[in-house]
Amino acid sequence: MKVNAVYLLLIVLCTQSSLYSQYRKRNNPWILGVGINLIDDSGTGLSGKFKISENYNYSAPISMSLEKRYHNDYGISVMLSHNRFLEGKRVNMQLLEDPISFYAIDTNFKYYITNNWLYTERAMYEGYLTTGAGVSIYNQERATLINAGLGVNIYLSERIRLNLQGLAKLYPGSKNRLASNYYQYNIGLIFRFTDGKICHC
């Protein structure tokens, strides 16, 4: 009887350890994202939102991100973006005479607000609020900006989601001749690594 009890205890401990490990991996994944971005730096406000060809920049608009989730409700992400503002586009209410190379690196905190009413593991979408800060580089001129926005991940498979995100980037300074408030929109795919392929956590 004592031997059977020991075996039973070992089985229970192994089962709990396995379930706990799966829970931690499922709720704390690393997430890799790839996609494209559109930037509206026209300064025209709502009146120019639908003038895509005039006000939006989308030349080589590549974005990549890496996010660490915490207990499914929170995440911290780093995103790299590249774009190019072409001649003839409207930037800060003026038409560009020369193209501008654009790079950005942003670090954002995310709060997955839909977890308050949706069951996370079966939800077809998860929406989040995000805020943070970043550096934007215009032809080698740098500007530090504050970010605020929202996004949604739409379920495609256990590992893959479609990501849609909009960020308002606010420039608090006045010395940079190129930098200003602008909007950045991202669309892409995110890949969840939940089985320890990137790290065992």
Side-chain angles (χ1 to χ4, degrees), residues 4-201:
N4 289 338
V6 171
Y7 284 149
L8 180 60
L9 179 60
L10 288 174
I11 291 172
V12 170
L13 289 175
C14 289
T15 302
Q16 287 183 341
S17 176
S18 176
L19 289 175
Y20 178 69
S21 176
Q22 291 178 14
Y23 174 81
R24 289 183 70 239
K25 291 174 183 176
R26 183 172 65 246
N27 286 276
N28 297 276
W30 286 90
I31 301 173
L32 177 66
V34 292
I36 61 173
N37 64 83
L38 289 82
I39 295 176
D40 176 11
D41 196 8
S42 63
T44 57
L46 294 177
S47 63
K49 285 301 175 187
F50 299 102
K51 298 179 179 180
I52 305 298
S53 61
E54 296 178 21
N55 297 333
Y56 286 78
N57 300 279
Y58 43 85
S59 178
I62 301 170
S63 293
M64 297 186 67
S65 64
L66 182 64
E67 178 183 350
K68 183 69 170 81
R69 291 284 292 271
Y70 295 93
H71 302 293
N72 258 325
D73 290 333
Y74 309 102
I76 296 177
S77 71
V78 176
M79 183 172 66
L80 302 175
S81 305
H82 172 269
N83 209 313
R84 188 169 174 82
F85 299 0
L86 298 181
E87 179 182 351
K89 293 286 185 176
R90 193 182 307 277
V91 175
N92 295 335
M93 298 292 291
Q94 297 181 356
L95 296 180
L96 282 184
E97 297 181 357
D98 298 296
I100 297 173
S101 295
F102 172 89
Y103 298 89
I105 178 169
D106 299 284
T107 300
N108 292 316
F109 171 81
K110 295 181 178 180
Y111 171 47
Y112 287 84
I113 190 171
T114 56
N115 288 350
N116 291 315
W117 64 83
L118 294 177
Y119 180 57
T120 306
E121 301 305 323
R122 296 181 181 177
M124 293 304 296
Y125 70 94
E126 52 182 4
Y128 59 86
L129 305 176
T130 183
T131 186
V135 175
S136 297
I137 304 172
Y138 309 79
N139 282 351
Q140 302 183 349
E141 290 193 40
R142 298 182 181 182
T144 301
L145 297 101
I146 299 170
N147 305 331
L150 50 84
V152 62
N153 299 326
I154 300 172
Y155 184 94
L156 299 179
S157 73
E158 183 66 25
R159 290 183 178 272
I160 303 174
R161 308 284 196 276
L162 174 66
N163 171 253
L164 306 172
Q165 177 177 276
L167 282 178
K169 297 191 171 185
L170 310 175
Y171 180 60
S174 60
K175 294 182 179 180
N176 192 309
R177 66 183 181 86
L178 291 173
S180 63
N181 303 338
Y182 68 90
Y183 298 96
Q184 179 173 333
Y185 306 98
N186 289 81
I187 178 171
L189 296 176
I190 58 174
F191 304 88
R192 298 165 61 95
F193 293 88
T194 59
D195 58 0
K197 287 187 176 181
I198 288 184
C199 78
H200 298 282
C201 55

